């Protein structure tokens, strides 16, 4: 079985519920609580710059409008991605993947990069993100690449086969074994509500590491860890802290 260098607790979108998601400010706050791994979402601008954003559109988490992937980086770089969360974060920009890699190195922090393609850019996003991750994280623990997009993971596998991959599923699929084998995934990343002790044993017996999202209840987190889950992604980064369950 391949090694799993990642910690048990992962800070969701950098700072969980305590900061505007997918920003450098969020990573700073995650680090301030001692977290040693973050999860975040990466996509491409129109001119192929890799930046952080969860949604296809800008409205929910910024003062921008429209489909982010249809704008070039010069336009995206001027967007305020902090004020929606709180005035203390006003002017917080959308970060580039390169800036996030530097922050991770600064804090000695590991990364789960979720590849979030804009529609019809699945393969290109997977390829470009994987190649950049290989380059940017050269002197750090290899980032864990994950995606709901099979096409994006296939492209990442072809571009940088040595980087570990995780298949993201929000609904249970009976063909999970075939998908994992095809993509040569190290891990499976599941909505925690899909899991019980029996299903976790089935996944572990297949040789998989399991990351679950998004667990904000300490009781549920303890239960999942006791059943054998390897990593928990949480928004409650001030409650489910790095030494949780130790």
């Amino acid at each position: 079985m391949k090694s799993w260098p990642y910690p048990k607790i992962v800070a969701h979108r950098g700072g969980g519920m305590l900061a505007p998601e997918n920003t450098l400010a969020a990573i700073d706050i995650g680090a301030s609580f001692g977290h040693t791994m973050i999860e975040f979402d990466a996509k491409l601008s129109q001119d192929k710059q890799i930046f952080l954003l969860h949604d296809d559109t800008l409205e929910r988490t910024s003062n921008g409008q429209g489909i982010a992937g249809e704008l070039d980086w010069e336009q995206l770089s001027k967007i305020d991605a902090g004020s929606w969360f709180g005035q203390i974060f006003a002017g917080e920009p959308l970060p580039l993947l390169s800036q996030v890699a530097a922050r991770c190195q600064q804090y000695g922090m590991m990364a789960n990069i979720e590849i979030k393609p804009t529609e019809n850019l699945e393969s290109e996003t997977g390829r470009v993100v994987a190649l950049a991750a290989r380059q940017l994280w050269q002197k750090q623990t290899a980032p864990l690449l994950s995606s709901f997009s099979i096409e994006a993971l296939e492209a990442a596998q072809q571009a940088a086969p040595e980087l570990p991959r995780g298949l993201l599923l929000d609904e249970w699929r009976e063909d999970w074994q075939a998908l994992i084998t095809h993509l040569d995934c190290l891990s499976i990343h599941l909505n925690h509500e899909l899991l019980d002790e029996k299903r976790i044993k089935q996944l572990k017996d297949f040789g998989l590491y399991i990351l679950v999202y998004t667990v904000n209840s300490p009781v549920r987190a303890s239960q999942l860890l006791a059943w054998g889950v390897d990593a928990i992604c949480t928004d409650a980064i001030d409650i489910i802290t790095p030494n949780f369950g130790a």
Side-chain angles (χ1 to χ4, degrees), residues 127-162:
R127 178 182 63 82
V128 173
V129 170
L131 291 173
R134 168 198 274 168
Q135 182 68 29
L136 292 168
W137 269 264
Q138 270 185 357
K139 298 178 181 179
Q140 304 180 65
T141 301
L144 180 59
L145 306 181
S146 63
S147 189
F148 289 103
S149 167
I150 305 300
E151 285 181 62
L153 283 177
E154 285 174 335
Q157 180 184 16
Q158 291 165 11
E162 77 283 6

Side-chain angles (χ1 to χ4, degrees), residues 33-169:
F33 281 91
H35 286 278
T36 57
M37 187 169 181
I38 52 170
E39 179 270 354
F40 54 84
D41 306 285
K43 55 174 19 90
L44 298 181
S45 65
Q46 189 178 52
D47 52 346
K48 310 311 174 196
Q49 297 298 304
I50 308 167
F51 69 101
L52 271 56
L53 187 73
H54 178 273
D55 300 358
D56 278 346
T57 54
L58 289 156
E59 281 83 354
R60 182 177 65 86
T61 58
S62 81
N63 68 344
Q65 293 182 317
I67 297 172
E70 294 180 353
L71 302 177
D72 62 31
W73 178 245
E74 185 180 1
Q75 294 168 294
L76 290 166
S77 66
K78 296 171 182 173
I79 286 171
D80 179 348
S83 291
W84 68 274
F85 190 89
Q87 273 307 112
I88 192 173
F89 296 105
E92 183 69 24
L94 297 168
L96 290 167
L97 186 66
S98 56
Q99 295 174 306
V100 174
R103 224 33 155 250
C104 286
Q105 187 164 21
Q106 176 186 336
Y107 291 128
M109 189 178 263
M110 288 174 260
N112 171 197
I113 305 174
E114 182 180 339
I115 304 168
K116 276 277 187 187
T118 303
E119 190 175 0
N120 299 320
L121 290 175
E122 287 82 2
S123 292
E124 186 171 14
T125 307
R127 178 182 63 82
V128 173
V129 170
L131 291 173
R134 168 198 274 168
Q135 182 68 29
L136 292 168
W137 269 264
Q138 270 185 357
K139 298 178 181 179
Q140 304 180 65
T141 301
L144 180 59
L145 306 181
S146 63
S147 189
F148 289 103
S149 167
I150 305 300
E151 285 181 62
L153 283 177
E154 285 174 335
Q157 180 184 16
Q158 291 165 11
E162 77 283 6
L163 292 183
R165 288 171 299 284
L167 174 64
L168 264 162
L169 295 177

Side-chain angles (χ1 to χ4, degrees), residues 10-33:
V10 181
H12 190 223
R13 301 180 193 170
M17 292 183 284
L18 302 182
E21 64 185 59
N22 286 314
T23 61
L24 296 179
I27 299 171
D28 292 342
I29 285 176
S32 75
F33 281 91

